[in-house]
Amino acid sequence: MKLENKVAIITGSTRGIGNAIARLYLQNGARVVICGSTEENAIRATQKLKESFSIFEEYLLPVGVDMKDTESICKMVEKVISTWGHIDILVNNAGITSEKSILDSTDEDFYEMFDVNVLGLLKTTREVVKYMKATGGVIINTSSMVGINGGRNQVSYAASKFAVNGITKSLAKELGKYQIRVNAVAPGVVGTDMMKESVTEEMKQRLIQMTPLMKMAQPEDIAGAYLYLASDDANFTTGTIIQVDGGLVM
Ligand code: NAD
């Protein structure tokens, strides 16, 4: 059990990649804060996890948090501290995507993308580091292959994920003195609701053909990198962006 006695916040953990990370962290002994965009979503996801892992019942804390709302983020962090007293791992995973030409993009599209993918991540990190700096810990950000290579009609999303990479490296430099490690994972194409909403079947087949491992990942294929980065196996690793994309970007 690589994460025994650890408390982990995982934003966007009601479904998709975040939910797979939550499952793996629970299997490795962590207590996990399940964050959903609403409290109902978080409670529903927690219920499902309890059904699959009955022994982990007291290891779950469901919290509704809107990544666009500073007060909501502060309340989530305060709830974790008042429940469990400390935070060892923060996974900044909540995110949105969009497929739009720059010519069709409105100011609101730009603001929304940055509100969730960048400002939400920065605010959550700031609030967590207020506590984590006393104990040390691990921060893992979810980037994307689009944050390395860009993407056609994905200019807002790409900008937000390039920002995530810059934040990762800057915070690794700034927070190392507190023994806080900061890394990112850049997934390729993963079969989640987000992917289904933004990638057509034809695009999906094209991406599979372009991937050396000739398949599309499932969330469970991505979660292992988050376990490695959160565990002591990575205790001298900070400021890295690990690509988990079947070789699509190289
Ligand atoms: P998903 O849509 O299944 O999950 C996204 C999660 O973020 C959900 O739990 C959702 O509730 C949460 N979220 C979105 N907006 C929020 C808000 N305003 N407040 C609180 N929570 C909010 O998507 P996923 O594919 O699991 O994506 C997870 C992360 O992985 C994202 O950061 C995404 O950019 C990244 N990613 C996904 C892929 C892919 O192919 N699926 C590839 C690369 C990177």
Side-chain angles (χ1 to χ4, degrees), residues 12-18 35-37 65-68 93-96 116-117 142-145 157 161 187-190 192-195:
S13 44
T14 53
R15 63 184 204 179
I17 295 171
C35 299
S37 49
V65 53
D66 180 359
M67 299 307 295
K68 292 190 269 187
N93 168 75
I96 55 171
V116 178
N117 289 11
T142 300
S143 179
S144 166
M145 65 174 185
Y157 184 66
K161 294 301 187 181
V189 190
V190 191
T192 65
D193 293 331
M194 175 187 277
M195 192 279 299

Side-chain angles (χ1 to χ4, degrees), residues 108 127 164 217:
E108 285 65 37
E127 295 311 309
V164 167

Side-chain angles (χ1 to χ4, degrees), residues 86-115:
H86 62 106
I87 300 159
D88 304 291
I89 301 160
L90 167 64
V91 179
N92 285 309
N93 168 75
I96 55 171
T97 188
S98 110
E99 286 279 323
K100 253 188 190 180
S101 151
I102 190 163
L103 296 173
D104 297 329
S105 302
T106 62
D107 287 2
E108 285 65 37
D109 292 333
F110 297 145
Y111 292 137
E112 189 181 20
M113 184 64 71
F114 271 71
D115 258 357

Side-chain angles (χ1 to χ4, degrees), residues 31-192:
R31 280 174 281 170
V32 179
V33 184
I34 301 296
C35 299
S37 49
T38 64
E39 195 169 350
E40 297 74 62
N41 284 350
I43 291 172
R44 212 175 309 124
T46 302
Q47 203 52 45
K48 270 196 191 164
L49 288 165
K50 278 182 188 166
E51 283 160 19
S52 355
F53 306 110
S54 49
I55 48 162
F56 290 122
E57 178 136 2
E58 71 281 18
Y59 281 54
L60 286 157
L61 180 64
V63 187
V65 53
D66 180 359
M67 299 307 295
K68 292 190 269 187
D69 180 41
T70 308
E71 200 185 327
S72 162
I73 291 169
C74 293
K75 278 193 182 151
M76 180 273 287
V77 174
E78 280 159 22
K79 187 168 177 183
V80 180
I81 291 296
S82 65
T83 309
W84 285 331
H86 62 106
I87 300 159
D88 304 291
I89 301 160
L90 167 64
V91 179
N92 285 309
N93 168 75
I96 55 171
T97 188
S98 110
E99 286 279 323
K100 253 188 190 180
S101 151
I102 190 163
L103 296 173
D104 297 329
S105 302
T106 62
D107 287 2
E108 285 65 37
D109 292 333
F110 297 145
Y111 292 137
E112 189 181 20
M113 184 64 71
F114 271 71
D115 258 357
V116 178
N117 289 11
V118 181
L119 300 183
L121 179 152
L122 281 172
K123 291 172 190 170
T124 311
T125 303
R126 178 188 62 203
E127 295 311 309
V128 166
V129 169
K130 286 179 185 170
Y131 298 96
M132 198 183 260
K133 73 182 174 67
T135 55
V138 182
I139 298 169
I140 307 169
N141 299 323
T142 300
S143 179
S144 166
M145 65 174 185
V146 177
I148 292 169
N149 259 12
R152 188 185 304 136
N153 291 335
Q154 288 190 298
V155 68
S156 301
Y157 184 66
S160 76
K161 294 301 187 181
F162 271 83
V164 167
N165 297 347
I167 290 166
T168 302
K169 289 178 184 290
S170 300
L171 288 181
K173 290 182 180 181
E174 180 179 334
L175 301 178
K177 65 180 175 212
Y178 302 121
Q179 295 304 310
I180 297 175
R181 297 186 289 103
V182 188
N183 294 290
V185 175
V189 190
V190 191
T192 65

